[in-house]
Amino acid sequence: MQLFKYINRINLLDKLIRQRSTGKPAELALRIGVSVSRLYVMIDELREQGAPIVYSRQRLTYYYSAEFMISIVVKIEVLEDDKLRQISCGSNFF
């Protein structure tokens, strides 16, 4: 599913930025499996959400200019009948 791929890419991007080991944009795009133009879109989207991402031409890496971390977690679990009743306020639609 594309959503899970995107979440994994964002988490990997965050990790590499925090480690200051992204490399040049073309290298980073290759590492996370997107085109360079898509990488720029992803970075812009994260900046719009408040991520203080900057690029160092001297170190050839992206980094956070302030303490910052992204954490996206997806939990998938099978729900038992009693849990379903709690969620749906006592109604079971199945």
Side-chain angles (χ1 to χ4, degrees):
M1 179 179 246
Q2 292 296 332
L3 174 63
F4 296 125
K5 266 188 187 176
Y6 189 74
I7 289 171
N8 288 335
R9 286 176 177 148
I10 292 293
N11 285 332
L12 178 57
L13 178 60
D14 170 64
K15 177 184 171 185
L16 294 171
I17 291 172
R18 281 187 289 112
Q19 293 174 344
R20 296 180 180 218
S21 62
T22 64
K24 296 177 183 179
E27 296 166 354
L28 178 57
L30 186 62
R31 286 177 80 177
I32 65 172
V34 296
S35 67
V36 174
S37 61
R38 181 66 191 139
L39 172 68
Y40 289 136
V41 169
M42 292 171 69
I43 290 172
D44 286 343
E45 288 172 348
L46 292 173
R47 285 177 177 150
E48 287 173 9
Q49 296 302 313
I53 300 171
V54 293
Y55 184 76
S56 170
R57 292 179 192 263
Q58 293 173 332
R59 295 182 185 162
L60 301 176
T61 189
Y62 285 96
Y63 66 97
Y64 292 125
S65 61
E67 288 297 317
F68 192 84
M69 185 174 125
I70 298 168
S71 179
I72 303 171
V73 178
V74 176
K75 182 178 178 184
I76 300 173
E77 65 180 281
V78 176
L79 299 177
E80 301 297 329
D81 286 341
D82 61 328
K83 187 91 167 189
L84 283 171
R85 284 187 200 95
Q86 290 174 356
I87 292 171
S88 61
C89 303
S91 300
N92 192 345
F93 297 106
F94 299 102

